[in-house]
Amino acid sequence: MVSDLFGEDSYFADADAFWTHQNAAIADAVDAYQQKGWAQVMVLDKGAYFARWDHRACPKNDGGHVFVAVSTQGEVTFHEG
């Protein structure tokens, strides 16, 4: 990571290495959700927005899905149900 000694901003010096590790961590999380019995786990394209209002809540036991949203900055959000 590269950061300014007196600032609050920092970034990864090697973006390709970051995404390689980030994608591996996401794949591990997807496997964990599948092992827990979720009907389907879908990883959205990087930067795609998850529109919560286009979906209705459904628990795992009733066939609920997990949507994985990945921001262009690398933040990952898991939307269960």
Side-chain angles (χ1 to χ4, degrees), residues 31-45:
D31 288 341
Y33 271 110
Q34 291 171 336
Q35 290 177 6
K36 289 179 183 176
W38 285 93
Q40 189 172 13
V41 182
M42 293 175 276
V43 180
L44 304 176
D45 291 334

Side-chain angles (χ1 to χ4, degrees), residues 44-59:
L44 304 176
D45 291 334
K46 187 177 6 171
Y49 179 75
F50 176 74
R52 186 180 302 268
W53 58 83
D54 282 345
H55 301 85
R56 72 177 164 84
C58 182

Side-chain angles (χ1 to χ4, degrees), residues 3 12 16 21 25 29-32 35 46 48-49 53 55-56 58-63 66-67 73-75 79-80:
S3 62
F12 288 95
D16 291 333
H21 291 288
V30 167
D31 288 341
Q35 290 177 6
K46 187 177 6 171
Y49 179 75
W53 58 83
H55 301 85
R56 72 177 164 84
C58 182
K60 174 177 65 174
N61 295 337
D62 292 337
V66 177
F67 293 88
Q73 285 103 19
E75 298 169 324
H79 301 277
E80 298 178 357

Side-chain angles (χ1 to χ4, degrees), residues 1-11:
M1 292 202 50
V2 177
S3 62
D4 180 1
L5 182 60
F6 300 104
E8 296 180 13
D9 296 330
S10 62
Y11 59 92

